[in-house]
Amino acid sequence: MGVFVASTRPKVVVTRNLGPETMPLLLERDDVEVVVWPEDTYCDRKWLLENVRGATGLLVMLSDRVDAELLEAAGPSLKVLSTMSVGYEHVPLPELAKRNIRLGYTPDVLTDAVADIAIMLALMASRNAEEVTAVVRNGEWPKRPWSPFMFCGPQLSASTVHPQRTAGFIGFGRIAQATLKRLVPFGLTTCLYAGNPATPADPAADAAHARAFGLPRVARVGLAELAAESDVVFVLAPGGPATRHVVDAAFLRRMKSTAVLVNAARGTLVDTDALVRALRERWIWGAGLDVLEGEPVIHADHPLVKEPRCTLLPHIGSASIETRQGMAKMAAENLLGGVLGHAMPAEFTGTK
Amino acid sequence: MGVFVASTRPKVVVTRNLGPETMPLLLERDDVEVVVWPEDTYCDRKWLLENVRGATGLLVMLSDRVDAELLEAAGPSLKVLSTMSVGYEHVPLPELAKRNIRLGYTPDVLTDAVADIAIMLALMASRNAEEVTAVVRNGEWPKRPWSPFMFCGPQLSASTVHPQRTAGFIGFGRIAQATLKRLVPFGLTTCLYAGNPATPADPAADAAHARAFGLPRVARVGLAELAAESDVVFVLAPGGPATRHVVDAAFLRRMKSTAVLVNAARGTLVDTDALVRALRERWIWGAGLDVLEGEPVIHADHPLVKEPRCTLLPHIGSASIETRQGMAKMAAENLLGGVLGHAMPAEFTGTK
């Protein structure tokens, strides 16, 4: 902490207060100089361009734009960029590679938080959560006399009526598999998934998955079969042009009228207009969305906001206290590791 | 179907149309005469008193009042009462016993539907579903700039921050155990439960449960310990005077400030006024309720309806299509079994 080390300490810039559990990891060190954006708002670009000058490390959020201008402002001292996110859409990978800047990110740590939300949305979409909570909220419960099938939706769990339950996954990475693991005790019998078209089908791997999850059947299939056979479809693939509108009108028309659609990945994977029609015309039972094209600029008159069979969350997949603390801690450790020349807990090596 | 059997066919009266999957089981038989309340509303009492005369079987809903007057109106021909419900609060057991009337009900069939709702409510209460869906519904999403801990709630799943997760069950019957089974892949480590005080503790049974569920620890404990140690408390015990307000102010004050309360049993088990204080003063994180004292007469100005950390459902625990079809079918089969002198799939024998 002594003044004598001040001039030799590497500077790190952090674009957001990371909370009382994480900030001491940075602020209580005497071998780095820490500069933190002081407001609880998006980091101001002008402030950042000024303060990043001469920094060795930079810790950013998904909401910060990282570009050549910012990297130039930092100058040749910059050795590491640490983002508190699993995504790196906001980071220009070639620019980092050109400057030999290491990149840290926060994969895996959010897997369970998102899988929890995927299960929650599947249940909410099936059991009409949006519709029935509105009945209570609007004081209509006393006016709705009981009847045998009032408020009923399809059951996620297996039943004597439907002993077979099939879940379909668009994308079959860590989050999808964590979601699948949670579905098994609901009596799931079949898991279908549509994988990356660039990788070949692997029946031996499917059989190994079936054994590992204790399921009668795990199989990679085409999108048409996945749509037609699934009781619940989970969209859990990366965003970007390759997956844009993978759930379109043709997909939705193939789905069962009692099936539900869950999107906890990126809004771009689902064609919003097609989903509005699918819900209004009852091609499918319901939808649960944590993400939506155009978010966060979603107004109260958005057709899906007004759709009673659609549950909409404001992108809270990873928004659990534990996960955000874990992400902040990993981002801080990535920053320190890169600045001090140590190992980084999660270094993105796709740039190399 | 011939006219010649008409006069000898036993009459059965059904107080509600049970839907197109179930009614043919009754209507297509030629060995019973079926009389069905024709409206999709509660069965009219006067109509029932008139039509039940001379009936051999009577199929009722939880919403129908069965009393001595109704049984007298039926007369000595009445051999079986079949209720499409797991509860029998609406049935006077001594009056049935006095007249040697068999009772059919629909246990077990709703276990999975209610367990699904218990899991949904635990997730919704933890992850602030009521609060965050309102943000989207009211068009406030565009006005809420991202910040690292915005919308965050405690994570149901285990995490690096909280590797231990404890669920507490008030009542440890079929529905509680079906709920527990679903929680295991969320990384649950400990199950605590408060059982019927009339039965002694059984550590060997607890150890067997732990093995069966693959959990490090299952233990019967007192309510104070259950309240203090649980990350989520599930109320899944029968109603009635013995369990009234088992969750009271003292219980709620002992709970962790990050814990959530789920009630999918009967409203009477939770002291509503105490829960309102617990949520307002943040003794606990949130609550998810499928049942509430005074339901269904719950108006929009009810303090829990207005509480942003409370998710309220209009008693939809068993309201899945599959389960209600299963209950209707079982009620019809109980009716036929009793009328024709066969076995009943689920006969309540507590009256004997």
PDB file of all heavy atoms in Angstrom, chain B residues 248-283:
ATOM      1  N   ASP B 248     -46.091 -19.512  10.934  1.00  0.00           N
ATOM      2  CA  ASP B 248     -46.556 -18.291  11.592  1.00  0.00           C
ATOM      3  C   ASP B 248     -45.404 -17.289  11.666  1.00  0.00           C
ATOM      4  O   ASP B 248     -44.344 -17.500  11.053  1.00  0.00           O
ATOM      5  CB  ASP B 248     -47.098 -18.619  12.987  1.00  0.00           C
ATOM      6  CG  ASP B 248     -46.061 -19.318  13.861  1.00  0.00           C
ATOM      7  OD1 ASP B 248     -44.871 -19.406  13.435  1.00  0.00           O
ATOM      8  OD2 ASP B 248     -46.409 -19.786  14.953  1.00  0.00           O
ATOM      9  N   ALA B 249     -45.607 -16.199  12.391  1.00  0.00           N
ATOM     10  CA  ALA B 249     -44.574 -15.160  12.455  1.00  0.00           C
ATOM     11  C   ALA B 249     -43.263 -15.719  13.024  1.00  0.00           C
ATOM     12  O   ALA B 249     -42.179 -15.395  12.519  1.00  0.00           O
ATOM     13  CB  ALA B 249     -45.070 -13.987  13.301  1.00  0.00           C
ATOM     14  N   ALA B 250     -43.363 -16.546  14.045  1.00  0.00           N
ATOM     15  CA  ALA B 250     -42.132 -17.087  14.661  1.00  0.00           C
ATOM     16  C   ALA B 250     -41.356 -17.923  13.632  1.00  0.00           C
ATOM     17  O   ALA B 250     -40.124 -17.817  13.522  1.00  0.00           O
ATOM     18  CB  ALA B 250     -42.489 -17.939  15.878  1.00  0.00           C
ATOM     19  N   PHE B 251     -42.071 -18.748  12.873  1.00  0.00           N
ATOM     20  CA  PHE B 251     -41.430 -19.565  11.837  1.00  0.00           C
ATOM     21  C   PHE B 251     -40.772 -18.669  10.792  1.00  0.00           C
ATOM     22  O   PHE B 251     -39.601 -18.846  10.438  1.00  0.00           O
ATOM     23  CB  PHE B 251     -42.486 -20.477  11.182  1.00  0.00           C
ATOM     24  CG  PHE B 251     -41.921 -21.440  10.177  1.00  0.00           C
ATOM     25  CD1 PHE B 251     -41.645 -22.750  10.535  1.00  0.00           C
ATOM     26  CD2 PHE B 251     -41.666 -21.043   8.868  1.00  0.00           C
ATOM     27  CE1 PHE B 251     -41.115 -23.648   9.604  1.00  0.00           C
ATOM     28  CE2 PHE B 251     -41.135 -21.927   7.936  1.00  0.00           C
ATOM     29  CZ  PHE B 251     -40.865 -23.230   8.305  1.00  0.00           C
ATOM     30  N   LEU B 252     -41.500 -17.693  10.305  1.00  0.00           N
ATOM     31  CA  LEU B 252     -40.988 -16.835   9.226  1.00  0.00           C
ATOM     32  C   LEU B 252     -39.793 -15.994   9.685  1.00  0.00           C
ATOM     33  O   LEU B 252     -38.869 -15.753   8.923  1.00  0.00           O
ATOM     34  CB  LEU B 252     -42.113 -15.921   8.720  1.00  0.00           C
ATOM     35  CG  LEU B 252     -43.233 -16.659   7.953  1.00  0.00           C
ATOM     36  CD1 LEU B 252     -44.498 -15.817   7.883  1.00  0.00           C
ATOM     37  CD2 LEU B 252     -42.773 -17.050   6.549  1.00  0.00           C
ATOM     38  N   ARG B 253     -39.809 -15.590  10.962  1.00  0.00           N
ATOM     39  CA  ARG B 253     -38.680 -14.812  11.482  1.00  0.00           C
ATOM     40  C   ARG B 253     -37.409 -15.665  11.569  1.00  0.00           C
ATOM     41  O   ARG B 253     -36.304 -15.134  11.509  1.00  0.00           O
ATOM     42  CB  ARG B 253     -38.999 -14.278  12.879  1.00  0.00           C
ATOM     43  CG  ARG B 253     -39.827 -13.006  12.863  1.00  0.00           C
ATOM     44  CD  ARG B 253     -39.844 -12.389  14.253  1.00  0.00           C
ATOM     45  NE  ARG B 253     -40.760 -11.270  14.319  1.00  0.00           N
ATOM     46  CZ  ARG B 253     -40.464 -10.036  13.920  1.00  0.00           C
ATOM     47  NH1 ARG B 253     -39.279  -9.768  13.401  1.00  0.00           N
ATOM     48  NH2 ARG B 253     -41.342  -9.065  14.017  1.00  0.00           N
ATOM     49  N   ARG B 254     -37.581 -16.963  11.720  1.00  0.00           N
ATOM     50  CA  ARG B 254     -36.405 -17.848  11.790  1.00  0.00           C
ATOM     51  C   ARG B 254     -35.810 -18.144  10.417  1.00  0.00           C
ATOM     52  O   ARG B 254     -34.678 -18.583  10.305  1.00  0.00           O
ATOM     53  CB  ARG B 254     -36.802 -19.176  12.438  1.00  0.00           C
ATOM     54  CG  ARG B 254     -36.919 -19.114  13.941  1.00  0.00           C
ATOM     55  CD  ARG B 254     -36.980 -20.493  14.580  1.00  0.00           C
ATOM     56  NE  ARG B 254     -37.292 -20.347  15.990  1.00  0.00           N
ATOM     57  CZ  ARG B 254     -38.524 -20.429  16.506  1.00  0.00           C
ATOM     58  NH1 ARG B 254     -39.558 -20.702  15.712  1.00  0.00           N
ATOM     59  NH2 ARG B 254     -38.715 -20.262  17.793  1.00  0.00           N
ATOM     60  N   MET B 255     -36.587 -17.939   9.368  1.00  0.00           N
ATOM     61  CA  MET B 255     -36.104 -18.287   8.018  1.00  0.00           C
ATOM     62  C   MET B 255     -34.968 -17.366   7.579  1.00  0.00           C
ATOM     63  O   MET B 255     -34.846 -16.237   8.041  1.00  0.00           O
ATOM     64  CB  MET B 255     -37.264 -18.230   6.994  1.00  0.00           C
ATOM     65  CG  MET B 255     -38.187 -19.438   7.040  1.00  0.00           C
ATOM     66  SD  MET B 255     -39.607 -19.289   5.882  1.00  0.00           S
ATOM     67  CE  MET B 255     -38.778 -19.416   4.283  1.00  0.00           C
ATOM     68  N   LYS B 256     -34.138 -17.876   6.659  1.00  0.00           N
ATOM     69  CA  LYS B 256     -33.069 -17.061   6.084  1.00  0.00           C
ATOM     70  C   LYS B 256     -33.668 -15.925   5.250  1.00  0.00           C
ATOM     71  O   LYS B 256     -34.704 -16.112   4.603  1.00  0.00           O
ATOM     72  CB  LYS B 256     -32.203 -17.913   5.143  1.00  0.00           C
ATOM     73  CG  LYS B 256     -31.496 -19.068   5.800  1.00  0.00           C
ATOM     74  CD  LYS B 256     -30.640 -19.797   4.749  1.00  0.00           C
ATOM     75  CE  LYS B 256     -30.060 -21.080   5.317  1.00  0.00           C
ATOM     76  NZ  LYS B 256     -29.262 -21.831   4.315  1.00  0.00           N
ATOM     77  N   SER B 257     -32.969 -14.793   5.197  1.00  0.00           N
ATOM     78  CA  SER B 257     -33.491 -13.663   4.415  1.00  0.00           C
ATOM     79  C   SER B 257     -33.400 -13.945   2.909  1.00  0.00           C
ATOM     80  O   SER B 257     -34.010 -13.246   2.106  1.00  0.00           O
ATOM     81  CB  SER B 257     -32.720 -12.393   4.749  1.00  0.00           C
ATOM     82  OG  SER B 257     -31.356 -12.563   4.430  1.00  0.00           O
ATOM     83  N   THR B 258     -32.653 -14.970   2.530  1.00  0.00           N
ATOM     84  CA  THR B 258     -32.551 -15.345   1.114  1.00  0.00           C
ATOM     85  C   THR B 258     -33.413 -16.562   0.780  1.00  0.00           C
ATOM     86  O   THR B 258     -33.350 -17.076  -0.339  1.00  0.00           O
ATOM     87  CB  THR B 258     -31.100 -15.689   0.754  1.00  0.00           C
ATOM     88  OG1 THR B 258     -30.620 -16.642   1.719  1.00  0.00           O
ATOM     89  CG2 THR B 258     -30.216 -14.458   0.778  1.00  0.00           C
ATOM     90  N   ALA B 259     -34.212 -17.021   1.737  1.00  0.00           N
ATOM     91  CA  ALA B 259     -35.016 -18.231   1.508  1.00  0.00           C
ATOM     92  C   ALA B 259     -36.400 -17.867   0.972  1.00  0.00           C
ATOM     93  O   ALA B 259     -36.869 -16.736   1.125  1.00  0.00           O
ATOM     94  CB  ALA B 259     -35.155 -19.019   2.803  1.00  0.00           C
ATOM     95  N   VAL B 260     -37.037 -18.841   0.325  1.00  0.00           N
ATOM     96  CA  VAL B 260     -38.393 -18.637  -0.191  1.00  0.00           C
ATOM     97  C   VAL B 260     -39.333 -19.679   0.392  1.00  0.00           C
ATOM     98  O   VAL B 260     -38.922 -20.776   0.783  1.00  0.00           O
ATOM     99  CB  VAL B 260     -38.448 -18.690  -1.740  1.00  0.00           C
ATOM    100  CG1 VAL B 260     -37.610 -17.570  -2.343  1.00  0.00           C
ATOM    101  CG2 VAL B 260     -38.025 -20.039  -2.281  1.00  0.00           C
ATOM    102  N   LEU B 261     -40.609 -19.295   0.444  1.00  0.00           N
ATOM    103  CA  LEU B 261     -41.673 -20.157   0.974  1.00  0.00           C
ATOM    104  C   LEU B 261     -42.607 -20.542  -0.165  1.00  0.00           C
ATOM    105  O   LEU B 261     -43.044 -19.674  -0.926  1.00  0.00           O
ATOM    106  CB  LEU B 261     -42.466 -19.397   2.044  1.00  0.00           C
ATOM    107  CG  LEU B 261     -43.662 -20.148   2.645  1.00  0.00           C
ATOM    108  CD1 LEU B 261     -43.177 -21.201   3.642  1.00  0.00           C
ATOM    109  CD2 LEU B 261     -44.639 -19.180   3.327  1.00  0.00           C
ATOM    110  N   VAL B 262     -42.913 -21.832  -0.263  1.00  0.00           N
ATOM    111  CA  VAL B 262     -43.850 -22.325  -1.275  1.00  0.00           C
ATOM    112  C   VAL B 262     -44.998 -23.036  -0.564  1.00  0.00           C
ATOM    113  O   VAL B 262     -44.758 -23.906   0.278  1.00  0.00           O
ATOM    114  CB  VAL B 262     -43.152 -23.310  -2.243  1.00  0.00           C
ATOM    115  CG1 VAL B 262     -44.165 -23.974  -3.172  1.00  0.00           C
ATOM    116  CG2 VAL B 262     -42.077 -22.590  -3.051  1.00  0.00           C
ATOM    117  N   ASN B 263     -46.227 -22.653  -0.869  1.00  0.00           N
ATOM    118  CA  ASN B 263     -47.378 -23.374  -0.332  1.00  0.00           C
ATOM    119  C   ASN B 263     -48.228 -23.900  -1.481  1.00  0.00           C
ATOM    120  O   ASN B 263     -48.830 -23.133  -2.227  1.00  0.00           O
ATOM    121  CB  ASN B 263     -48.218 -22.480   0.594  1.00  0.00           C
ATOM    122  CG  ASN B 263     -49.340 -23.258   1.291  1.00  0.00           C
ATOM    123  OD1 ASN B 263     -49.477 -24.477   1.096  1.00  0.00           O
ATOM    124  ND2 ASN B 263     -50.129 -22.574   2.106  1.00  0.00           N
ATOM    125  N   ALA B 264     -48.231 -25.228  -1.631  1.00  0.00           N
ATOM    126  CA  ALA B 264     -49.055 -25.868  -2.659  1.00  0.00           C
ATOM    127  C   ALA B 264     -50.016 -26.862  -2.008  1.00  0.00           C
ATOM    128  O   ALA B 264     -50.440 -27.821  -2.638  1.00  0.00           O
ATOM    129  CB  ALA B 264     -48.170 -26.567  -3.692  1.00  0.00           C
ATOM    130  N   ALA B 265     -50.335 -26.603  -0.705  1.00  0.00           N
ATOM    131  CA  ALA B 265     -51.181 -27.548   0.027  1.00  0.00           C
ATOM    132  C   ALA B 265     -52.554 -26.924   0.294  1.00  0.00           C
ATOM    133  O   ALA B 265     -53.453 -27.029  -0.542  1.00  0.00           O
ATOM    134  CB  ALA B 265     -50.486 -27.948   1.322  1.00  0.00           C
ATOM    135  N   ARG B 266     -52.702 -26.276   1.446  1.00  0.00           N
ATOM    136  CA  ARG B 266     -53.942 -25.601   1.794  1.00  0.00           C
ATOM    137  C   ARG B 266     -53.594 -24.241   2.390  1.00  0.00           C
ATOM    138  O   ARG B 266     -52.604 -24.126   3.126  1.00  0.00           O
ATOM    139  CB  ARG B 266     -54.737 -26.422   2.826  1.00  0.00           C
ATOM    140  CG  ARG B 266     -55.367 -27.688   2.283  1.00  0.00           C
ATOM    141  CD  ARG B 266     -56.553 -27.401   1.354  1.00  0.00           C
ATOM    142  NE  ARG B 266     -57.163 -28.618   0.818  1.00  0.00           N
ATOM    143  CZ  ARG B 266     -56.881 -29.153  -0.369  1.00  0.00           C
ATOM    144  NH1 ARG B 266     -55.979 -28.579  -1.148  1.00  0.00           N
ATOM    145  NH2 ARG B 266     -57.514 -30.241  -0.781  1.00  0.00           N
ATOM    146  N   GLY B 267     -54.404 -23.245   2.107  1.00  0.00           N
ATOM    147  CA  GLY B 267     -54.126 -21.888   2.571  1.00  0.00           C
ATOM    148  C   GLY B 267     -54.011 -21.772   4.072  1.00  0.00           C
ATOM    149  O   GLY B 267     -53.230 -20.972   4.598  1.00  0.00           O
ATOM    150  N   THR B 268     -54.767 -22.587   4.790  1.00  0.00           N
ATOM    151  CA  THR B 268     -54.812 -22.472   6.249  1.00  0.00           C
ATOM    152  C   THR B 268     -53.479 -22.762   6.926  1.00  0.00           C
ATOM    153  O   THR B 268     -53.291 -22.404   8.086  1.00  0.00           O
ATOM    154  CB  THR B 268     -55.845 -23.459   6.834  1.00  0.00           C
ATOM    155  OG1 THR B 268     -55.547 -24.770   6.339  1.00  0.00           O
ATOM    156  CG2 THR B 268     -57.242 -23.060   6.445  1.00  0.00           C
ATOM    157  N   LEU B 269     -52.533 -23.388   6.258  1.00  0.00           N
ATOM    158  CA  LEU B 269     -51.263 -23.717   6.915  1.00  0.00           C
ATOM    159  C   LEU B 269     -50.369 -22.497   7.133  1.00  0.00           C
ATOM    160  O   LEU B 269     -49.433 -22.541   7.918  1.00  0.00           O
ATOM    161  CB  LEU B 269     -50.493 -24.783   6.122  1.00  0.00           C
ATOM    162  CG  LEU B 269     -51.036 -26.206   6.301  1.00  0.00           C
ATOM    163  CD1 LEU B 269     -52.034 -26.527   5.218  1.00  0.00           C
ATOM    164  CD2 LEU B 269     -49.939 -27.248   6.338  1.00  0.00           C
ATOM    165  N   VAL B 270     -50.638 -21.423   6.383  1.00  0.00           N
ATOM    166  CA  VAL B 270     -49.789 -20.224   6.478  1.00  0.00           C
ATOM    167  C   VAL B 270     -50.604 -19.056   7.033  1.00  0.00           C
ATOM    168  O   VAL B 270     -51.705 -18.773   6.539  1.00  0.00           O
ATOM    169  CB  VAL B 270     -49.212 -19.855   5.091  1.00  0.00           C
ATOM    170  CG1 VAL B 270     -48.426 -18.547   5.150  1.00  0.00           C
ATOM    171  CG2 VAL B 270     -48.325 -20.989   4.570  1.00  0.00           C
ATOM    172  N   ASP B 271     -50.053 -18.385   8.035  1.00  0.00           N
ATOM    173  CA  ASP B 271     -50.674 -17.188   8.613  1.00  0.00           C
ATOM    174  C   ASP B 271     -50.460 -16.027   7.639  1.00  0.00           C
ATOM    175  O   ASP B 271     -49.348 -15.518   7.490  1.00  0.00           O
ATOM    176  CB  ASP B 271     -50.028 -16.907   9.974  1.00  0.00           C
ATOM    177  CG  ASP B 271     -50.591 -15.642  10.631  1.00  0.00           C
ATOM    178  OD1 ASP B 271     -51.222 -14.826   9.937  1.00  0.00           O
ATOM    179  OD2 ASP B 271     -50.372 -15.481  11.843  1.00  0.00           O
ATOM    180  N   THR B 272     -51.522 -15.633   6.959  1.00  0.00           N
ATOM    181  CA  THR B 272     -51.416 -14.635   5.897  1.00  0.00           C
ATOM    182  C   THR B 272     -50.828 -13.316   6.410  1.00  0.00           C
ATOM    183  O   THR B 272     -49.940 -12.734   5.776  1.00  0.00           O
ATOM    184  CB  THR B 272     -52.807 -14.367   5.275  1.00  0.00           C
ATOM    185  OG1 THR B 272     -53.317 -15.607   4.785  1.00  0.00           O
ATOM    186  CG2 THR B 272     -52.721 -13.372   4.140  1.00  0.00           C
ATOM    187  N   ASP B 273     -51.326 -12.830   7.540  1.00  0.00           N
ATOM    188  CA  ASP B 273     -50.847 -11.536   8.062  1.00  0.00           C
ATOM    189  C   ASP B 273     -49.343 -11.596   8.348  1.00  0.00           C
ATOM    190  O   ASP B 273     -48.608 -10.646   8.069  1.00  0.00           O
ATOM    191  CB  ASP B 273     -51.604 -11.156   9.337  1.00  0.00           C
ATOM    192  CG  ASP B 273     -53.079 -10.896   9.062  1.00  0.00           C
ATOM    193  OD1 ASP B 273     -53.425 -10.651   7.887  1.00  0.00           O
ATOM    194  OD2 ASP B 273     -53.881 -10.962  10.003  1.00  0.00           O
ATOM    195  N   ALA B 274     -48.896 -12.709   8.910  1.00  0.00           N
ATOM    196  CA  ALA B 274     -47.470 -12.854   9.214  1.00  0.00           C
ATOM    197  C   ALA B 274     -46.652 -12.873   7.922  1.00  0.00           C
ATOM    198  O   ALA B 274     -45.569 -12.274   7.845  1.00  0.00           O
ATOM    199  CB  ALA B 274     -47.233 -14.130  10.015  1.00  0.00           C
ATOM    200  N   LEU B 275     -47.191 -13.536   6.887  1.00  0.00           N
ATOM    201  CA  LEU B 275     -46.451 -13.599   5.618  1.00  0.00           C
ATOM    202  C   LEU B 275     -46.358 -12.213   4.977  1.00  0.00           C
ATOM    203  O   LEU B 275     -45.324 -11.854   4.408  1.00  0.00           O
ATOM    204  CB  LEU B 275     -47.120 -14.597   4.663  1.00  0.00           C
ATOM    205  CG  LEU B 275     -46.421 -14.743   3.304  1.00  0.00           C
ATOM    206  CD1 LEU B 275     -44.964 -15.171   3.462  1.00  0.00           C
ATOM    207  CD2 LEU B 275     -47.164 -15.742   2.410  1.00  0.00           C
ATOM    208  N   VAL B 276     -47.418 -11.433   5.073  1.00  0.00           N
ATOM    209  CA  VAL B 276     -47.373 -10.065   4.528  1.00  0.00           C
ATOM    210  C   VAL B 276     -46.238  -9.290   5.203  1.00  0.00           C
ATOM    211  O   VAL B 276     -45.422  -8.653   4.525  1.00  0.00           O
ATOM    212  CB  VAL B 276     -48.730  -9.353   4.748  1.00  0.00           C
ATOM    213  CG1 VAL B 276     -48.617  -7.873   4.404  1.00  0.00           C
ATOM    214  CG2 VAL B 276     -49.812 -10.015   3.913  1.00  0.00           C
ATOM    215  N   ARG B 277     -46.146  -9.380   6.532  1.00  0.00           N
ATOM    216  CA  ARG B 277     -45.060  -8.676   7.251  1.00  0.00           C
ATOM    217  C   ARG B 277     -43.696  -9.225   6.830  1.00  0.00           C
ATOM    218  O   ARG B 277     -42.752  -8.468   6.609  1.00  0.00           O
ATOM    219  CB  ARG B 277     -45.202  -8.852   8.765  1.00  0.00           C
ATOM    220  CG  ARG B 277     -46.187  -7.884   9.395  1.00  0.00           C
ATOM    221  CD  ARG B 277     -45.967  -7.780  10.896  1.00  0.00           C
ATOM    222  NE  ARG B 277     -44.690  -7.174  11.245  1.00  0.00           N
ATOM    223  CZ  ARG B 277     -44.175  -7.154  12.471  1.00  0.00           C
ATOM    224  NH1 ARG B 277     -44.842  -7.728  13.468  1.00  0.00           N
ATOM    225  NH2 ARG B 277     -43.021  -6.579  12.717  1.00  0.00           N
ATOM    226  N   ALA B 278     -43.597 -10.543   6.732  1.00  0.00           N
ATOM    227  CA  ALA B 278     -42.312 -11.170   6.390  1.00  0.00           C
ATOM    228  C   ALA B 278     -41.806 -10.687   5.031  1.00  0.00           C
ATOM    229  O   ALA B 278     -40.602 -10.481   4.848  1.00  0.00           O
ATOM    230  CB  ALA B 278     -42.464 -12.688   6.390  1.00  0.00           C
ATOM    231  N   LEU B 279     -42.732 -10.478   4.084  1.00  0.00           N
ATOM    232  CA  LEU B 279     -42.319 -10.019   2.751  1.00  0.00           C
ATOM    233  C   LEU B 279     -42.009  -8.526   2.753  1.00  0.00           C
ATOM    234  O   LEU B 279     -41.018  -8.084   2.187  1.00  0.00           O
ATOM    235  CB  LEU B 279     -43.418 -10.343   1.728  1.00  0.00           C
ATOM    236  CG  LEU B 279     -43.595 -11.845   1.433  1.00  0.00           C
ATOM    237  CD1 LEU B 279     -44.873 -12.098   0.649  1.00  0.00           C
ATOM    238  CD2 LEU B 279     -42.391 -12.397   0.677  1.00  0.00           C
ATOM    239  N   ARG B 280     -42.872  -7.733   3.416  1.00  0.00           N
ATOM    240  CA  ARG B 280     -42.666  -6.279   3.440  1.00  0.00           C
ATOM    241  C   ARG B 280     -41.380  -5.912   4.154  1.00  0.00           C
ATOM    242  O   ARG B 280     -40.662  -5.005   3.744  1.00  0.00           O
ATOM    243  CB  ARG B 280     -43.828  -5.608   4.156  1.00  0.00           C
ATOM    244  CG  ARG B 280     -45.048  -5.544   3.284  1.00  0.00           C
ATOM    245  CD  ARG B 280     -46.082  -4.565   3.844  1.00  0.00           C
ATOM    246  NE  ARG B 280     -47.287  -4.663   3.039  1.00  0.00           N
ATOM    247  CZ  ARG B 280     -48.506  -4.467   3.514  1.00  0.00           C
ATOM    248  NH1 ARG B 280     -48.698  -4.139   4.784  1.00  0.00           N
ATOM    249  NH2 ARG B 280     -49.539  -4.587   2.711  1.00  0.00           N
ATOM    250  N   GLU B 281     -41.106  -6.619   5.241  1.00  0.00           N
ATOM    251  CA  GLU B 281     -39.934  -6.280   6.052  1.00  0.00           C
ATOM    252  C   GLU B 281     -38.725  -7.141   5.678  1.00  0.00           C
ATOM    253  O   GLU B 281     -37.724  -7.132   6.392  1.00  0.00           O
ATOM    254  CB  GLU B 281     -40.286  -6.407   7.542  1.00  0.00           C
ATOM    255  CG  GLU B 281     -41.415  -5.450   7.931  1.00  0.00           C
ATOM    256  CD  GLU B 281     -41.907  -5.629   9.374  1.00  0.00           C
ATOM    257  OE1 GLU B 281     -41.212  -6.316  10.165  1.00  0.00           O
ATOM    258  OE2 GLU B 281     -42.983  -5.078   9.698  1.00  0.00           O
ATOM    259  N   ARG B 282     -38.865  -7.914   4.609  1.00  0.00           N
ATOM    260  CA  ARG B 282     -37.763  -8.692   4.054  1.00  0.00           C
ATOM    261  C   ARG B 282     -37.157  -9.693   5.043  1.00  0.00           C
ATOM    262  O   ARG B 282     -35.952  -9.894   5.043  1.00  0.00           O
ATOM    263  CB  ARG B 282     -36.649  -7.757   3.506  1.00  0.00           C
ATOM    264  CG  ARG B 282     -37.134  -6.851   2.378  1.00  0.00           C
ATOM    265  CD  ARG B 282     -37.231  -7.619   1.067  1.00  0.00           C
ATOM    266  NE  ARG B 282     -38.102  -6.953   0.108  1.00  0.00           N
ATOM    267  CZ  ARG B 282     -37.693  -6.290  -0.977  1.00  0.00           C
ATOM    268  NH1 ARG B 282     -36.412  -6.219  -1.255  1.00  0.00           N
ATOM    269  NH2 ARG B 282     -38.557  -5.741  -1.794  1.00  0.00           N
ATOM    270  N   TRP B 283     -38.036 -10.301   5.877  1.00  0.00           N
ATOM    271  CA  TRP B 283     -37.526 -11.414   6.692  1.00  0.00           C
ATOM    272  C   TRP B 283     -37.119 -12.562   5.776  1.00  0.00           C
ATOM    273  O   TRP B 283     -36.206 -13.311   6.075  1.00  0.00           O
ATOM    274  CB  TRP B 283     -38.593 -11.942   7.657  1.00  0.00           C
ATOM    275  CG  TRP B 283     -39.262 -10.938   8.541  1.00  0.00           C
ATOM    276  CD1 TRP B 283     -38.896  -9.629   8.735  1.00  0.00           C
ATOM    277  CD2 TRP B 283     -40.426 -11.159   9.336  1.00  0.00           C
ATOM    278  NE1 TRP B 283     -39.764  -9.047   9.612  1.00  0.00           N
ATOM    279  CE2 TRP B 283     -40.710  -9.942  10.001  1.00  0.00           C
ATOM    280  CE3 TRP B 283     -41.253 -12.260   9.570  1.00  0.00           C
ATOM    281  CZ2 TRP B 283     -41.787  -9.814  10.878  1.00  0.00           C
ATOM    282  CZ3 TRP B 283     -42.321 -12.136  10.436  1.00  0.00           C
ATOM    283  CH2 TRP B 283     -42.590 -10.922  11.087  1.00  0.00           C
TER     284      TRP B 283
END
